[in-house]
Amino acid sequence: MGESRRKANRNQGTSRWRHVGRRGGSTERGAGRSSGALTKPPLSGLGGWLWLVQVGLALQLAVFAAQLAGLIRYLFADGGWPAIIDSQAPDYHPLMAPLAVYELAELAVLLLATAMMLAGFYRRLQAFPAWIALYLLACLGAVALECVFILLMPSTRESVLQNSLPALLRTAVLAAAWIPYFRRSLRVRNTFVH
């Protein structure tokens, strides 16, 4: 009786290992010990490098919201819009008003897109890796277009070197790092399955 109890306890202990494959083809603990070590469970979940994506998207959402609020306040509450469209102003340029409208639209779209990225990320949508690649490329394109706008206006050219060019380089580096990661990562493939 004592022997059968030990055997039953031993069999209960192996049930959790039945689905973990081994190099030798055996799926149970103890069988074929010489064939190699147990394989690790597949990488999945929002851990690993994906925690940086979580933090980055959450921070980017806050940054876009603050920038949009600041631009709206400047243009409509602080009298910025009349100053931009005043053709008698010393810093007037005909592209200043289109740039302000572009920045408003850009920030609103990027804010919405970032919120959608976070939702897709936490829902672990299968389309998320493709979405994030398009999102990063769209951010890069938006910053590049803003740089072009600013370069066309003589009064704002020096702000390109101070603000826009570093933002463009930062966005390009992020896109160059994360797009290949989302295309090749085993964790990404195993996590975004819904």
Side-chain angles (χ1 to χ4, degrees), residues 137-166:
L137 291 173
C139 286
L140 183 61
V143 174
L145 188 57
E146 190 174 319
C147 285
V148 169
F149 254 121
I150 292 171
L151 282 172
L152 292 174
M153 296 180 283
S155 62
T156 60
R157 281 191 185 140
E158 67 184 45
S159 75
V160 169
L161 294 176
Q162 294 173 357
N163 302 322
S164 299
L165 193 58

Side-chain angles (χ1 to χ4, degrees), residues 86-109:
D86 182 13
S87 62
Q88 304 304 317
D91 290 339
Y92 173 79
H93 194 278
L95 288 178
M96 195 67 85
L99 175 62
V101 171
Y102 169 76
E103 282 191 31
L104 276 173
E106 171 196 31
L107 288 171
V109 168

Side-chain angles (χ1 to χ4, degrees), residues 50 117 120-121 124-136 178-185 187-194:
L50 291 177
M117 289 297 106
F121 182 83
R124 299 179 186 199
L125 295 179
Q126 189 174 15
F128 180 77
W131 286 4
I132 196 76
L134 290 173
Y135 171 79
L136 290 168
W178 287 112
I179 291 173
Y181 172 77
F182 276 99
R183 291 180 53 90
R184 296 186 181 128
S185 170
R187 179 181 294 274
V188 168
R189 224 172 297 131
N190 291 336
T191 299
F192 299 101
V193 294
H194 300 291

Side-chain angles (χ1 to χ4, degrees), residues 40-60:
K40 294 181 182 179
L43 291 173
S44 68
L46 300 178
W49 289 106
L50 291 177
W51 76 269
L52 284 174
V53 176
Q54 296 175 63
V55 171
L57 285 172
L59 289 175
Q60 196 62 49

